[in-house]
Amino acid sequence: MSTHAKPVAVFDLVIFGGTGDLAMRKLLPAMFRRFLDEQIPAHSRIIGVAREEQAESDYRERVREALVKAIGKEATQAKVDAFLDLVSYRPLDATRDAGWDDFAELMGAVQDHVRVFYLSTSPRIFVDICERLRAHQLNGEGSRVVIEKPIGHDLASAREINDAVGAVFEENQIFRIDHYLGKETVQNLLALRFANVLLEPLWNAAHIDHVQITVAETVGVEQRGPYYDNAGALRDMVQNHLLQLLCMVAMEPPATLDPDAVRDEKLKVLHALQPIDAANAAQETVRGQYRAGAANGGAAPGYLQDLGADESSTETFVALKAQIRNWRWAGVPFYLRTGKRLPSRVSEIVMYFRDIPYSIFEAGSGSIAPNKLVLRLQPDEGVKLWLMAKSPGPGGLRLQSVPLDMSFAEAFGVQQPDAYERLLLDVVRGNPTLFMRRDEVEAAWRWIDPILAAWDAGRDTPRAYAAGTWGPSASVALIERDGRTWHDDDH
Ligand code: BG6
């Protein structure tokens, strides 16, 4: 075990949707990495569940392939074999009774295990699964349920899901996962802000000019067209990942790291967001949809081609300007943008500090760029603080903006773990700090719903952008109207 890995109790992890993309690409590889780090206690069980009838040996082979693909060389045959000993498979239809008695028996065979039920399925069957778990008394104290986004497609449907799951499990047994909260840099925000004295005195409207949060992807909608076309970037990314990042940046210092202390502070931020509705959506938001273009080193199809449809008014890009109505942040815009088929895969939070009040330097010394703190979530996790410095050599004082650069990989000499590794074990430990509480999810929808309504009412169709570009030009205009520009890597 790495010296930092804390052992967890023996557990059963049941993955509903055990043959799906998330299970194969993320959940099982995450568990395997924890296994390699000797953090998974012997006698724990990982049980894949899906509708499909297949032999356990076939399922294990699929898992083996997925691990080799995700992990590469480290997934040696011996290690994979040892891990697969923990893995089993049960065909089960959440909407029918058949097979559930056997499943309950399998679960009941070991009493003292923590039981984690991970619902990596369509939200349409969350309720069926929970009710059947209750009918077989699998919702008792040592049980926890993990639900994946999307938690609803608006406030009303999110409430229905929360009510239904809440009728079976207590709130402290429900883990609403937002994998962005498990990313190292996001957790590092807590350390940077609250384990240093330097930043917090400056972390407010007196010193911060504005904040930018970008989550850019190079991929298109891939195989998820039917889901994505019903969701769009606002629901898929902003309602959860980007708002959670905004909360982590903007929240007041919690008194402790107690799960509710942190989540209470995040909730206050969501409540303080200035509404965007029909009155201001046209000025404060931009929606885009990618067209064919040159991306990822080749010709990339447009969204409609990816979808195989003739028309769609779903956005694959959103930029918006959020404002937080409280003392700390009044007058400091938070510009958010996210999209698919953008030029590079990058997620970052950039804090722009205010201009110096007065320059003592001659005009020929070069312009003084405001300080900037860049928190890089991916790739190359790390923190860069851009400072003005004198460029070396004689010939007068020439000023230049240069970064103090901390790459986490270099500073700590380890590869950054995947978000799911941390989050899955937090569920086993019963620690919900990095999971969304019911009221947070609902508060986020309460802010998102009027934007969606304004778009609907305005029959707003997304603006076109070519694949491989930074979204529609209106996104540039959104920020440049305020005399600012989107952050461009490395200057
Ligand atoms: C998911 C979204 O929640 O996050 C996807 O549904 C998106 O559309 C993904 O691609 C991005 O996650 P990451 O960790 O690759 O940035």
Side-chain angles (χ1 to χ4, degrees):
M1 194 184 308
S2 89
T3 44
H4 304 296
K6 287 197 198 133
V8 293
V10 184
F11 63 89
D12 288 341
L13 166 65
V14 180
I15 308 176
F16 287 92
T19 53
D21 188 57
L22 183 73
M24 292 295 172
R25 262 189 333 112
K26 292 287 183 184
L27 306 180
L28 290 156
M31 293 312 284
F32 181 58
R33 284 202 193 88
R34 292 298 86 221
F35 176 81
L36 291 177
D37 210 10
E38 297 174 22
Q39 217 183 352
I40 309 280
H43 310 300
S44 294
R45 301 185 295 178
I46 299 172
I47 302 160
V49 169
R51 259 190 317 208
E52 200 175 325
E53 289 287 344
Q54 67 179 319
E56 195 152 272
S57 54
D58 291 343
Y59 182 68
R60 287 189 173 147
E61 275 321 296
R62 279 166 83 170
V63 176
R64 178 192 301 281
E65 280 167 28
L67 298 181
V68 171
K69 193 163 164 205
I71 315 253
K73 284 201 303 292
E74 264 192 277
T76 60
Q77 176 144 10
K79 288 189 173 143
V80 174
D81 283 345
F83 178 72
L84 289 178
D85 281 346
L86 308 180
V87 175
S88 55
Y89 180 76
R90 281 288 177 283
L92 204 56
D93 184 338
T95 59
R96 292 175 185 196
D97 289 334
W100 278 85
D101 286 339
D102 287 349
F103 174 70
E105 203 173 305
L106 173 76
M107 291 281 92
V110 200
Q111 289 300 336
D112 57 345
H113 286 194
V114 165
R115 292 178 185 140
V116 177
F117 299 106
Y118 198 117
L119 311 195
S120 169
T121 63
S122 156
R124 280 198 311 275
I125 59 170
F126 283 179
V127 177
D128 286 304
I129 298 176
C130 287
E131 283 174 355
R132 287 195 155 74
L133 290 173
R134 174 171 56 192
H136 291 88
Q137 279 126 44
L138 293 172
N139 58 338
E141 220 177 298
S143 294
R144 331 205 194 286
V145 65
V146 185
I147 51 182
E148 263 290 340
K149 60 173 270 275
I151 299 174
H153 58 271
D154 57 12
L155 177 59
S157 51
R159 277 192 178 138
E160 273 172 35
I161 293 176
N162 282 331
D163 282 346
V165 177
V168 175
F169 291 96
E170 300 293 330
E171 179 64 27
N172 66 6
Q173 296 175 289
I174 304 173
F175 290 74
R176 296 177 192 81
I177 203 160
D178 184 315
H179 75 281
Y180 266 62
L181 291 179
K183 292 193 190 271
E184 282 293 320
T185 311
V186 180
Q187 296 172 58
N188 234 315
L189 255 170
L190 291 173
L192 278 173
R193 288 191 59 190
F194 307 125
N196 295 292
V197 75
L198 281 181
L199 293 174
E200 205 49 26
L202 306 178
W203 210 258
N204 54 51
H207 300 98
I208 304 276
D209 176 74
H210 74 283
V211 180
Q212 296 184 17
I213 302 180
T214 296
V215 177
E217 299 184 273
T218 52
V219 291
V221 284
E222 301 177 290
Q223 281 76 45
R224 299 161 71 231
Y227 151 74
Y228 193 88
D229 200 49
N230 270 319
L234 190 71
R235 290 186 176 97
D236 185 50
M237 298 295 287
V238 180
Q239 189 272 344
N240 35 79
H241 305 326
L242 278 89
L243 284 183
Q244 286 293 321
L245 298 181
L246 177 143
C247 287
M248 295 294 280
V249 170
M251 71 179 180
E252 295 299 315
T256 65
L257 278 188
D258 181 72
D260 281 332
V262 174
R263 296 183 302 174
D264 286 347
E265 294 308 334
K266 282 162 54 199
L267 183 65
K268 287 183 207 159
V269 175
L270 292 169
H271 285 158
L273 284 171
Q274 182 170 315
I276 298 181
D277 53 23
N280 56 353
Q283 293 78 49
E284 316 291 30
T285 69
V286 172
R287 323 166 65 199
Q289 189 186 81
Y290 62 83
R291 300 284 186 265
N296 304 333
Y303 176 67
L304 293 180
Q305 286 156 283
D306 275 348
L307 197 63
D310 293 333
E311 55 175 6
S312 163
S313 57
T314 298
E315 79 284 352
T316 60
F317 176 95
V318 182
L320 59 82
K321 176 176 165 184
Q323 306 257 16
I324 301 171
R325 296 173 301 182
N326 63 20
W327 272 52
R328 188 188 279 264
W329 296 116
V332 179
F334 283 65
Y335 299 97
L336 274 44
R337 67 176 167 164
T338 182
K340 298 218 180 263
R341 282 270 157 75
L342 300 186
S344 52
R345 176 173 185 257
V346 50
S347 297
E348 63 188 12
I349 300 168
V350 188
M351 313 291 295
Y352 279 83
F353 290 86
R354 291 200 180 278
D355 284 326
I356 54 165
Y358 170 75
S359 174
I360 61 167
F361 301 98
E362 288 169 5
S365 308
S367 58
I368 302 184
N371 298 129
K372 202 166 62 176
L373 180 71
V374 182
L375 306 154
R376 182 65 90 101
L377 274 64
Q378 60 195 25
D380 315 323
E381 293 95 330
V383 179
K384 270 188 200 170
L385 177 61
W386 288 81
L387 301 170
M388 292 306 297
K390 176 191 170 296
S391 145
L397 222 162
R398 291 181 313 278
L399 298 168
Q400 201 182 323
S401 176
V402 281
L404 268 180
D405 193 350
M406 175 168 69
S407 141
F408 294 153
E410 276 172 31
F412 298 101
V414 288
Q415 208 204 329
Q416 303 298 298
D418 185 80
Y420 281 98
E421 294 177 48
R422 162 75 193 254
L423 294 176
L424 281 166
L425 292 203
D426 274 357
V427 180
V428 175
R429 287 188 201 100
N431 178 358
T433 308
L434 297 176
F435 294 80
M436 295 180 293
R437 211 168 53 191
R438 171 178 184 151
D439 47 8
E440 278 182 85
V441 174
E442 294 182 4
W445 279 121
R446 204 169 290 116
W447 189 71
I448 291 288
D449 275 1
I451 304 178
L452 291 166
W455 286 350
D456 272 356
R459 299 210 166 67
D460 183 274
T461 46
R463 293 160 198 266
Y465 64 97
T469 66
W470 282 104
S473 53
S475 153
V476 176
L478 172 90
I479 190 164
E480 293 200 343
R481 267 202 303 273
D482 296 345
R484 302 176 174 114
T485 49
W486 288 113
H487 180 240
D488 193 352
D489 204 20
D490 282 342
H491 55 79

